[in-house]
């Protein structure tokens, strides 16, 4: 599947005329509009960058808390799931011909610093960080799902399934982090508000770059 | 000479009508129709030009189907439908390319490029060749830029068509090279006029267009070559290839060797350079990685604790 507007070859043009005739029967088969493609491209780019950041957060946490008996294996489990998420988006990016984020090095360092920094503040702070991040990611995936349902096109089916699955897993991480005393972290309120704002800013930037 | 008198009277007669129409297309075209030798009956037709339909037939032989009425006012101007349309609404806005007619004119224009270059003249020659008025070039508000834009887009499509199914089993760098060769071969007929296009493309107002096309081209090539990178390599690969392709194209404009042998040699050398560079960079990466790990190892053996060491 190619999502680029200018990929339309003559054959595609023929196909699209057929599509428009068929679209009267089912709108799901219509070709995506230019705006819809751009929207989906930026969604994939943000999700990829988000998973990348999440990976580095867990990597940072593991660097500090890796040997911790209580939470070490919990973080490792969550990290393993995030690795699968990242691999999935690594594969989706070339398939949908999406430009990956230009700020990759920034998200890598920022993610690692955030993970390692909160982990140095203690297990609870690390969990509070996970909670805040996963809350934003969960909300973000929900917003995307709403938009994809609005687009209502066959081409988005796969992406919808992927995002739905990942959202559920991210929300599981959120629950896990709360179970492991995230809300008992020192300066829980300001810390989580700060991470919230940071994540939202990162999302905003990545949709553009 | 009598005819001339007649002509002038008929002109003044029809002038009052034509000025109402405020249509330069129309005025110019009626004048053009006067050029060939004509008969009185034709003159009468001209006098009644705006009132009776289908009165002037002098140009209909060259006029194509009437589907795209706005494009050839000459033959259609006689129809009352048209003039009423003009009175009620302003000049219909030309559609943006590529709708069928502009695309056809642009396609035809490419064959005039080796002689007339990337100019408005080429477009009007092509319009005439396609059976439209020479002023139809007005459809393309950016003139030569529109033509270049079309050419680059056309080449992209052709390259994709030509390469599809031909690259199975090749290595990545062979695929990239093959795509570059195919694309450069498309430049052959236009290469003498290409510096002219490059000058137009370098104009600040056209830079976004030309850079966009180059970016699209290299993105296509990497996509066709099966590139799967989703990290910073995505950018570096495209930048490298864009530099190689554009410099090779520039080299080609000055290439005097038979069959552009020197150009393809140049391309080959640049691609090899980059491969060597890539290898060197990854070797540096490996070395740095190795050095860090051994440094950590030495320090760890001295009793230092590292979070990552387990």
């Amino acid at each position: 599947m190619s999502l680029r507007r200018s990929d339309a070859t003559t054959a595609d043009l023929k196909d699209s005329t057929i599509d428009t005739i068929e679209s009267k029967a089912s709108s799901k088969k219509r070709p995506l509009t230019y705006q819809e493609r751009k929207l989906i491209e930026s969604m994939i780019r943000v999700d990829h960058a988000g998973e990348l950041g999440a990976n580095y957060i867990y990597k940072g946490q593991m660097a500090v808390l890796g040997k911790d008996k209580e939470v070490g294996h919990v973080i490792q489990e969550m990290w393993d799931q995030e690795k699968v998420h990242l691999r999935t988006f690594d594969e989706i990016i070339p398939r949908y011909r999406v430009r990956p984020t230009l700020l990759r090095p920034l998200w890598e360092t920022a993610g690692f610093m955030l993970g390692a920094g909160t982990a140095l503040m203690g297990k609870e702070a690390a969990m509070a960080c996970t909670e805040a991040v996963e809350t934003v990611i969960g909300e973000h995936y929900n917003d995307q799902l709403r938009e994809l349902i609005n687009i209502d096109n066959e081409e988005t089916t796969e992406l919808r399934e992927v995002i739905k699955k990942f959202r559920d897993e991210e929300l599981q991480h959120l629950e896990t982090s709360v179970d492991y005393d995230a809300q008992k972290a020192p300066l829980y309120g300001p810390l989580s508000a700060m991470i919230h704002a940071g994540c939202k800013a990162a999302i905003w930037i990545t949709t553009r770059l | 000479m009598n005819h001339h008198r007649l002509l002038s009277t008929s002109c003044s007669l029809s002038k009052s009508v034509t000025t109402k129409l405020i249509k330069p297309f129309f005025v110019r075209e009626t004048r053009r129709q006067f050029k060939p030798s004509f008969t009185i009956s034709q003159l009468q037709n001209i006098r009644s030009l705006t009132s009776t339909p289908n009165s002037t037939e002098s140009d209909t032989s060259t006029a194509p189907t009437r589907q795209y009425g706005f494009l050839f006012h000459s033959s259609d101007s006689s129809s009352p439908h048209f003039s009423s349309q003009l009175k009620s609404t302003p000049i219909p806005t030309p559609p943006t390319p590529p709708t069928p007619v502009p695309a056809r004119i642009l396609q035809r224009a490419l064959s005039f490029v080796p002689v007339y270059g990337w100019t408005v003249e080429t477009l009007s020659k092509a319009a005439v060749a396609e059976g439209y008025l020479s002023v139809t070039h007005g459809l393309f508000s950016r003139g030569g830029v529109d033509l270049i834009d079309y050419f680059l887009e056309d080449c992209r499509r052709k390259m994709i068509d030509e390469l599809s199914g031909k690259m199975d089993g090749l290595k990545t760098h062979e695929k990239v090279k093959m795509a570059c060769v195919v694309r450069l071969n498309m430049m052959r007929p236009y290469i003498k006029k290409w510096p002219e296009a490059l000058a137009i493309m370098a104009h600040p107002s056209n830079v976004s267009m030309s850079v966009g096309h180059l970016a699209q081209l290299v993105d296509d090539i990497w996509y066709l070559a099966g590139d799967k990178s989703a990290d910073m390599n995505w950018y570096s690969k495209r930048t490298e290839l864009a530099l190689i392709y554009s410099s090779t194209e520039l080299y080609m404009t000055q290439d005097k060797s038979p069959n552009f042998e020197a150009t393809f040699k140049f391309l080959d050398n640049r691609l090899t350079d980059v491969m060597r560079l890539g290898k060197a960079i990854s070797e540096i990466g490996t070395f740095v990685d190795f050095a860090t790990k051994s440094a950590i190892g030495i320090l760890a053996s001295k009793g230092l604790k590292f979070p990552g060491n387990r």
Side-chain angles (χ1 to χ4, degrees):
Chain A
M1 180 186 344
S2 62
L3 288 163
R4 285 277 163 99
R5 166 192 51 153
S6 35
D7 277 342
T9 55
T10 355
D12 286 343
L13 288 176
K14 275 178 206 153
D15 283 349
S16 68
T17 50
I18 295 166
D19 280 349
T20 41
I21 295 163
E22 281 178 353
S23 68
K24 279 166 194 162
S26 78
S27 66
K28 289 193 173 190
K29 279 190 177 173
R30 81 193 153 80
L32 292 169
T33 64
Y34 178 65
Q35 279 86 1
E36 285 168 351
R37 277 181 203 146
K38 281 282 152 209
L39 183 69
I40 292 171
E41 276 177 28
S42 76
M43 275 182 193
I44 294 174
R45 177 158 56 247
V46 172
D47 294 352
H48 177 244
E51 296 297 351
L52 183 77
N55 257 280
Y56 274 83
I57 290 174
Y58 286 117
K59 198 177 183 182
Q61 291 184 346
M62 281 307 282
V64 179
L65 295 171
K67 278 190 260 181
D68 192 280
K69 296 238 163 44
E70 196 190 342
V71 294
H73 69 280
V74 181
I75 296 173
Q76 184 66 48
E77 268 168 37
M78 297 197 279
W79 188 16
D80 288 343
Q81 274 188 332
E82 297 291 349
K83 279 179 189 164
V84 176
H85 293 186
L86 182 60
R87 265 207 299 277
T88 312
F89 275 110
D90 270 344
E91 185 220 331
I92 283 178
I93 285 236
R95 204 143 49 80
Y96 283 64
R97 296 189 69 175
V98 180
R99 175 176 63 80
T101 174
L102 181 60
L103 299 176
R104 184 187 176 101
L106 178 63
W107 305 140
E108 283 177 355
T109 26
F112 191 87
M113 303 265 279
L114 180 62
T118 50
L120 285 171
M121 286 167 68
K123 292 171 212 170
E124 289 82 11
M127 285 301 166
C129 166
T130 307
E131 189 207 348
V133 170
E134 301 292 12
T135 311
V136 176
I137 293 185
E139 277 172 18
H140 168 72
Y141 276 153
N142 265 334
D143 291 344
Q144 288 193 341
L145 281 174
R146 261 178 235 119
E147 290 191 68
L148 286 175
I149 286 166
N150 270 340
I151 291 175
D152 190 31
N153 191 301
E154 257 188 359
E155 293 205 50
T156 63
T157 321
E158 185 206 14
L159 199 59
R160 246 157 71 183
E161 294 303 315
V162 168
I163 292 180
K164 211 181 275 174
K165 180 167 173 278
F166 287 3
R167 177 206 54 190
D168 293 346
E169 286 175 3
E170 305 291 2
L171 292 179
Q172 263 173 23
H173 296 174
L174 168 62
E175 277 167 28
T176 314
S177 68
V178 176
D179 288 348
Y180 279 85
D181 300 333
Q183 284 159 358
K184 285 179 192 160
L187 299 170
Y188 169 72
L191 184 68
S192 100
M194 223 165 68
I195 297 171
H196 261 270
C199 289
K200 288 210 167 134
I203 288 172
W204 187 85
I205 295 169
T206 318
T207 46
R208 283 148 186 88
L209 279 172
Chain B
M1 289 308 105
N2 254 343
H3 286 177
H4 272 288
R5 271 242 306 282
L6 265 170
L7 171 60
S8 58
T9 50
S10 92
C11 257
S12 59
L13 266 173
S14 61
K15 208 175 183 179
S16 57
V17 191
T18 49
T19 42
K20 267 183 206 162
L21 287 169
I22 327 170
K23 188 67 193 165
F25 259 34
F26 176 82
V27 179
R28 238 179 274 167
E29 199 45 32
T30 43
R31 264 189 219 137
R32 200 162 78 85
Q33 282 170 349
F34 288 156
K35 270 184 199 160
S37 62
F38 46 80
T39 61
I40 298 293
S41 67
Q42 271 178 327
L43 261 184
Q44 279 163 349
N45 279 341
I46 290 159
R47 197 178 295 158
S48 55
L49 203 58
T50 49
S51 52
T52 44
N54 303 326
S55 52
T56 52
E57 296 300 323
S58 56
D59 253 5
T60 41
S61 57
T62 54
T65 55
R66 304 203 164 191
Q67 206 178 340
Y68 309 102
F70 63 90
L71 270 180
F72 31 93
H73 301 172
S74 67
S75 52
D76 259 15
S77 54
S78 50
S79 77
H81 151 76
F82 184 75
S83 49
S84 66
Q85 197 186 20
L86 260 188
K87 271 171 203 162
S88 56
T89 54
I91 304 161
T93 46
T96 45
T99 47
V101 170
R104 226 161 58 211
I105 294 174
L106 288 167
Q107 185 63 48
R108 179 61 85 91
L110 292 181
S111 59
F112 288 92
V113 166
V115 184
Y116 298 100
W118 307 90
T119 55
V120 173
E121 199 183 357
T122 303
L123 287 170
S124 59
K125 296 268 183 216
V128 172
E130 278 289 315
Y132 303 102
L133 305 183
S134 62
V135 285
T136 313
H137 72 74
L139 269 180
F140 311 105
S141 52
R142 296 182 300 165
V145 182
D146 276 335
L147 185 55
I148 294 168
D149 200 0
Y150 175 81
F151 171 67
L152 293 171
E153 190 59 33
D154 191 48
C155 284
R156 264 194 69 215
R157 283 182 198 164
K158 277 191 189 144
M159 186 188 81
I160 294 167
D161 286 349
E162 202 165 312
L163 288 172
S164 56
K166 276 191 192 166
M167 303 214 287
D168 304 334
L170 291 176
K171 284 179 187 163
T172 307
H173 71 273
E174 289 168 340
K175 286 179 185 173
V176 171
K177 195 189 156 193
M178 188 179 173
C180 286
V181 170
V182 165
R183 182 62 181 73
L184 287 169
N185 276 333
M186 288 177 191
M187 301 301 301
R188 279 172 192 252
Y190 313 102
I191 201 68
K192 287 282 164 288
K193 293 285 176 188
W194 194 241
E196 197 183 299
L198 289 176
I200 296 172
M201 285 158 74
H203 189 273
S205 61
N206 305 329
V207 163
S208 69
M209 184 270 286
S210 38
V211 170
H213 275 295
L214 183 61
Q216 278 287 354
L217 173 68
V218 293
D219 188 50
D220 282 339
I221 294 177
W222 278 117
Y223 179 72
L224 290 168
D227 176 46
K228 297 266 183 285
S229 55
D231 47 11
M232 295 320 275
N233 278 332
W234 191 94
Y235 290 94
S236 58
K237 280 179 175 171
R238 275 153 187 78
T239 320
E240 276 167 7
L241 188 58
L243 289 174
I244 291 177
Y245 180 79
S246 49
S247 56
T248 312
E249 209 181 62
L250 197 63
Y251 186 91
M252 194 178 179
T253 60
Q254 305 301 319
D255 188 4
K256 300 276 188 295
S257 64
N259 211 19
F260 296 106
E261 276 163 14
T263 300
F264 296 114
K265 188 108 206 314
F266 181 86
L267 173 70
D268 226 17
N269 290 341
R270 295 293 80 72
L271 287 171
T272 324
D273 283 353
V274 162
M275 269 167 57
R276 219 177 285 149
L277 187 74
K279 225 183 212 172
I281 286 172
S282 74
E283 269 165 16
I284 291 171
T286 320
F287 173 75
V288 169
D289 200 38
F290 172 76
T292 335
K293 275 181 185 156
S294 27
I296 287 175
I298 291 163
L299 291 172
S301 70
K302 302 262 178 205
L304 261 157
K305 276 186 182 171
F306 286 93
N309 271 351
R310 264 182 292 165

